[in-house]
Amino acid sequence: MRPGRRALLALLGLCLVALAVPWLPWLTGVLGGGLLVLFGTMATEASLLGRLQVTLTRRRRAVLSLDEEEELPFTLWSNSTRPLSVVVRQPWPPLLTTGSFRGQGRLLPGSALTFTPRVHPVARGRAALSPPWVALSWWGFAERLRAVGEPGELTVLPNLKAVARLRQRLDAFVLRGQGARVAPRRGKGREFDRLRELVQDDDYRDVAWKASARHGKLIVKEYRLERAQDLLLCVDRGHRMAARTTRISRLDHALDAALQVAYLSHRQEDRIGALCFAADVEQGVPQGKGTAQLRRLTELFAGAQPELLHTDYRRLAVHVRRRLRSRALVLIFTTLPERETGDELVAAVRSLLPTHLPLVIVLSDPGLRAAAEVLPADEDELARVLVARDLWEGQQEIAQRLRRLGAWVIQAPPEDAGVEAVNAYLEIKRRQRL
């Protein structure tokens, strides 16, 4: 229990009366009576408020998308027969930007009072959501402070709302009228389609000799282009990916982009796998298809955290060569290293070619390029510009070396990495580079 606003105002007035007592002694009785009435009213209100029952209704487990504004509403109920003044304070865990929510309102008898705080998640993970603190008052002379409701749980996942927006765009522009499945295309692929009799212009290398012996005539094997192809999403979680851009880190942007590519490849019926790497390479999620595979990928990305360790690209290449026996599209979400350590990335990509097709999605730093192009005004600024220009030119040199090897390299700001990765994936599928 604590004094209300009216009690504080009344106490301030009685203090002024006390200051006038030396000159007006008859105010002593007024002061004593006023204090008696004030404390009696406060005690009575506090006693009545202590008998009230207040309940709270909200989601026990709240699941939010990273870097998206969302609502966490909750509703208060009471058995009071008089209108209640309510002040609410809800503290937030560190996964959210704001420290706490504060709201106030009037709870009428027989009705509910709903608060709708808006939050902005800035980190992935799971945290406990403590019950809100509620201050109740009738006449304003006393407030009853209590925690209402049970603790909840808050889970922040990669940006699933961006995936939902991608789905809407695909349904509206790309996949409209094409059906849910793509018809198989015949041609020089790897998937067996059927056996048929040899006709003119057929390649004798496609003759099925055992079938020809059984039928007494030449029979050839006909293949079709693969509908399901292999993709491996490799997300760098080394020390360079821990830097924050806007409100979230490069790693968070990379995971959101990888999830968007995963959803699109699921719509294209490709086999998807994923892993995270830094100094070591995790096993991640093996190749698979379907909705259950998307769920496993989401769980993997939700638990990925950056490490302040060096990124070992050579170890990644060794792991990929052992893991994937057939040709696959290997997407590497990373940020380019400095010129001195760029040979590791180039050597890793060279070892993947030509068996696999590497697609390197580089989360670039727009601030570095701006710092490299500024016109210096003094010696100190000249030194900063020269360092930034050396870093920027070194990264561009590494990107050119990767392109000359035959890898696809996409450089984009972190917030645009998802769109650029999806566009590159669609372009590779259109050109049938796999």
Side-chain angles (χ1 to χ4, degrees), residues 310-314 337 340-349 401:
H310 174 70
T311 300
D312 194 338
Y313 295 105
R314 296 177 187 269
E340 293 75 13
T341 57
D343 292 339
E344 296 183 7
L345 176 58
V346 175
V349 171
R401 293 173 62 186

Side-chain angles (χ1 to χ4, degrees), residues 9 41 209 223 232 247 356:
L9 293 176
T41 305
W209 297 109
Y223 298 88
L232 181 61
R247 287 181 290 263
H356 306 295

Side-chain angles (χ1 to χ4, degrees), residues 25-60:
W26 58 271
L27 290 179
T28 304
V30 175
L31 179 61
L35 290 174
L36 183 62
V37 171
L38 176 60
F39 287 111
T41 305
M42 291 174 58
T44 302
E45 184 174 4
S47 176
L48 294 176
L49 290 174
R51 302 173 188 175
L52 292 180
Q53 294 181 357
V54 182
T55 57
L56 178 136
T57 304
R58 69 175 176 186
R59 287 180 290 174
R60 181 70 181 273

Side-chain angles (χ1 to χ4, degrees), residues 167-188:
R167 176 180 180 178
Q168 293 176 358
R169 290 195 294 267
L170 289 174
D171 292 341
F173 300 106
V174 180
L175 300 178
R176 180 181 297 171
Q178 295 187 7
R181 296 178 65 87
V182 180
R185 298 170 293 174
R186 292 182 174 84
K188 284 293 183 180

Side-chain angles (χ1 to χ4, degrees), residues 348-360:
V349 171
R350 182 186 292 112
S351 66
L352 294 176
L353 291 163
T355 305
H356 306 295
L357 177 59
L359 171 58
V360 184

Side-chain angles (χ1 to χ4, degrees), residues 123-432:
R124 288 170 291 104
R126 183 175 298 173
L129 186 60
S130 60
W133 288 88
V134 179
L136 305 174
S137 177
W138 268 333
W139 308 316
F141 290 95
E143 289 183 346
R144 196 78 180 184
L145 187 64
R146 65 175 69 175
V148 180
E150 299 294 330
E153 185 179 74
L154 183 66
T155 303
V156 179
L157 298 178
N159 199 336
L160 300 180
K161 286 194 172 183
V163 177
R165 290 193 292 267
L166 174 64
R167 176 180 180 178
Q168 293 176 358
R169 290 195 294 267
L170 289 174
D171 292 341
F173 300 106
V174 180
L175 300 178
R176 180 181 297 171
Q178 295 187 7
R181 296 178 65 87
V182 180
R185 298 170 293 174
R186 292 182 174 84
K188 284 293 183 180
R190 291 180 297 179
E191 289 188 6
F192 174 76
D193 186 52
R194 61 171 179 164
L195 293 172
R196 61 170 175 80
E197 188 176 349
L198 178 72
V199 298
Q200 190 177 4
D201 297 331
D202 276 339
D203 193 338
Y204 284 99
R205 289 176 296 183
D206 295 333
V207 173
W209 297 109
K210 291 184 179 180
S212 299
R214 289 195 303 268
H215 291 83
K217 55 184 177 181
L218 291 177
I219 303 296
V220 297
K221 298 177 181 179
E222 192 172 77
Y223 298 88
R224 65 184 177 190
L225 297 177
E226 295 83 0
R227 181 169 55 229
Q229 296 168 328
D230 284 308
L231 273 78
L232 181 61
L233 307 172
C234 307
V235 181
D236 178 11
R237 59 185 189 91
H239 66 282
R240 298 183 187 91
M241 300 294 285
R244 286 186 176 270
T245 60
T246 63
R247 287 181 290 263
I248 61 178
S249 65
R250 284 198 185 103
L251 176 61
D252 293 323
H253 285 294
L255 294 173
D256 292 342
L259 200 58
Q260 294 182 46
V261 176
Y263 173 77
L264 182 58
S265 59
H266 163 69
R267 292 291 293 263
Q268 298 288 333
E269 300 185 357
D270 286 335
R271 292 180 292 269
I272 323 162
L275 59 87
C276 297
F277 68 99
D280 294 321
V281 181
E282 303 171 0
Q283 291 298 322
V285 177
Q287 305 298 115
K289 298 169 62 175
T291 306
Q293 183 73 356
L294 288 179
R295 189 180 305 113
R296 287 189 286 269
L297 293 175
T298 304
E299 293 175 356
L300 171 68
F301 293 156
Q305 297 296 332
E307 293 185 350
L308 300 181
L309 297 173
H310 174 70
T311 300
D312 194 338
Y313 295 105
R314 296 177 187 269
R315 184 168 295 184
L316 170 67
V318 171
H319 177 87
V320 171
R321 291 201 306 270
R322 291 176 179 174
R323 174 171 176 168
L324 299 175
R325 299 301 181 182
S326 58
R327 183 171 174 81
L329 176 62
V330 181
L331 294 92
I332 303 175
F333 296 86
T334 186
T335 182
L336 290 177
E338 296 77 14
R339 181 186 283 112
E340 293 75 13
T341 57
D343 292 339
E344 296 183 7
L345 176 58
V346 175
V349 171
R350 182 186 292 112
S351 66
L352 294 176
L353 291 163
T355 305
H356 306 295
L357 177 59
L359 171 58
V360 184
I361 294 94
V362 178
L363 282 72
S364 60
D365 186 357
L368 177 62
R369 181 174 183 178
E373 295 177 349
V374 72
L375 186 63
D378 50 36
E379 293 183 358
D380 293 338
E381 192 171 358
L382 175 62
R384 290 193 293 268
V385 170
L386 292 177
V387 171
R389 187 169 300 173
D390 182 68
L391 291 174
W392 174 255
E393 292 177 352
Q395 292 180 356
Q396 300 313 302
E397 179 183 335
I398 295 172
Q400 289 300 325
R401 293 173 62 186
L402 294 175
R403 292 188 177 99
R404 285 195 294 267
L405 289 175
W408 284 54
V409 181
I410 303 298
Q411 294 179 278
E415 57 271 17
D416 297 333
V419 175
E420 297 298 334
V422 166
N423 291 337
Y425 166 75
L426 291 174
E427 182 66 16
I428 291 173
K429 295 285 286 186
R430 186 185 68 83
R431 295 189 185 184
Q432 300 182 11

